[in-house]
Amino acid sequence: MDFTSLPHDHGTNDCNEFLRKELNKQDKFTAVAEIIKQLGDSARIRIFWILCHYEECVINISALMNMTSPAVSHHLRILKDSGLIESRREGKEVYYKAKDTEISRLMHQIIEEIMDIACPEKENESSASPSETAKRVHHYLLEHIDERITIEELSAIFHINPTTLKQTFKKLYGSSIAAHINEHRMKFAAKLLLETDKNISEVAKAVGYESQSKFTAAFQKHYDISPLKYKNQQ
């Protein structure tokens, strides 16, 4: 149905277009409902929670859960079909763990928020000072320099308040997270241009730019020379 306003105006008509646009994404709502349905069993939720922290085989999961192996295998199959966990085979043994995806991480977080559970990683990190956490964030960002990671995502991963993280990071490294990592990106890009045969597009992706033009603009702003000229001159 195409309309410009709702039958009753409660002062929210400015949001109508946005709401209609989002509500039309039925496939995404269906996907969310399907994932929630797959977790509609307390045993399955507990198994998923275990696998968010440890990679385990069926036998060990059975022992932890006090369930039979066939029963555990049934839940594992459903969780795997839903895309929440993955497996690998080593000889005759199959190991399972939660997939490293945004959906799996979000479901993990929801479970712990509702249950008020402290996960092992959070227990260990709760005693870390903001400076120690900021150093871990720095190391993590350098290891994932080809990715764009938001402050909110870092806050969720390292269990630190976003404002505290930003303030501590700047105090420790002398600049904002974005500026500091951009400095590393440009240095790494320059190194790749000099020491590898990667073209400009490949270098751009290697330092977290999907757009070659945006990378070129950033590089030129930083070094006052285009990446292509920099590569050719050197």
Side-chain angles (χ1 to χ4, degrees):
M1 180 178 179
D2 188 18
F3 51 83
T4 57
S5 63
L6 296 176
H8 294 174
D9 183 1
H10 301 301
T12 59
N13 279 338
D14 290 345
C15 301
N16 291 348
E17 188 60 36
F18 170 77
L19 292 174
R20 280 203 306 276
K21 181 180 176 183
E22 295 304 306
L23 287 171
N24 283 334
K25 298 176 181 177
Q26 295 184 29
D27 56 334
K28 300 205 172 190
F29 281 99
T30 300
V32 172
E34 188 60 32
I35 290 172
I36 293 174
K37 187 171 92 172
Q38 302 306 337
L39 285 174
D41 182 283
S42 62
R44 205 170 301 146
I45 291 175
R46 288 190 292 157
I47 291 172
F48 174 68
W49 182 79
I50 291 170
L51 299 178
C52 285
H53 303 288
Y54 306 105
E55 183 181 59
E56 280 295 2
C57 64
V58 173
I59 299 299
N60 283 355
I61 297 171
S62 300
L64 284 166
M65 294 287 297
N66 194 26
M67 293 174 63
T68 65
S69 293
V72 168
S73 295
H74 168 72
H75 289 303
L76 289 171
R77 185 164 53 252
I78 293 174
L79 288 169
K80 190 173 181 181
D81 288 344
S82 70
L84 291 172
I85 68 170
E86 60 188 3
S87 64
R88 68 176 181 89
R89 180 176 290 277
E90 189 173 305
K92 294 183 178 179
E93 197 74 84
V94 178
Y95 297 90
Y96 297 86
K97 68 176 181 179
K99 269 192 173 181
D100 185 20
T101 64
E102 185 178 355
I103 290 176
S104 286
R105 289 193 294 270
L106 182 59
M107 297 306 295
H108 174 201
Q109 183 181 351
I110 289 171
I111 291 168
E112 295 189 344
E113 289 292 335
I114 293 174
M115 296 290 295
D116 194 22
I117 298 171
C119 70
E121 290 86 350
K122 193 180 291 187
E123 287 279 326
N124 293 334
E125 290 174 0
S126 62
S127 59
S129 69
S131 293
E132 290 171 335
T133 302
K135 289 177 183 178
R136 285 205 295 268
V137 167
H138 181 262
H139 180 71
Y140 181 85
L141 288 171
L142 293 184
E143 284 191 332
H144 297 80
I145 204 163
D146 60 331
E147 301 175 25
R148 292 287 174 171
I149 305 170
T150 66
I151 297 291
E152 289 71 23
E153 288 171 330
L154 290 170
S155 174
I157 293 169
F158 291 93
H159 312 293
I160 183 172
N161 179 276
T163 301
T164 301
L165 173 58
K166 287 188 285 188
Q167 292 174 344
T168 306
F169 195 99
K170 188 169 185 177
K171 183 177 179 181
L172 199 60
Y173 294 100
S175 60
S176 68
I177 294 175
H180 186 79
I181 295 306
N182 185 64
E183 180 77 23
H184 280 285
R185 280 197 171 98
M186 293 301 105
K187 287 181 179 179
F188 186 45
K191 180 180 174 68
L192 291 175
L193 289 168
L194 290 180
E195 300 179 6
T196 72
D197 294 327
K198 291 181 181 293
N199 59 38
I200 306 301
S201 178
E202 290 170 331
V203 171
K205 288 182 179 178
V207 294
Y209 285 86
E210 287 297 325
S211 166
Q212 181 178 327
S213 61
K214 288 184 179 179
F215 165 69
T216 298
F219 191 93
Q220 178 136 6
K221 181 179 180 181
H222 190 83
Y223 286 109
D224 201 27
I225 186 173
S226 73
L228 184 59
K229 286 184 178 179
Y230 182 87
K231 186 176 182 69
N232 290 340
Q233 284 185 10
Q234 298 302 322

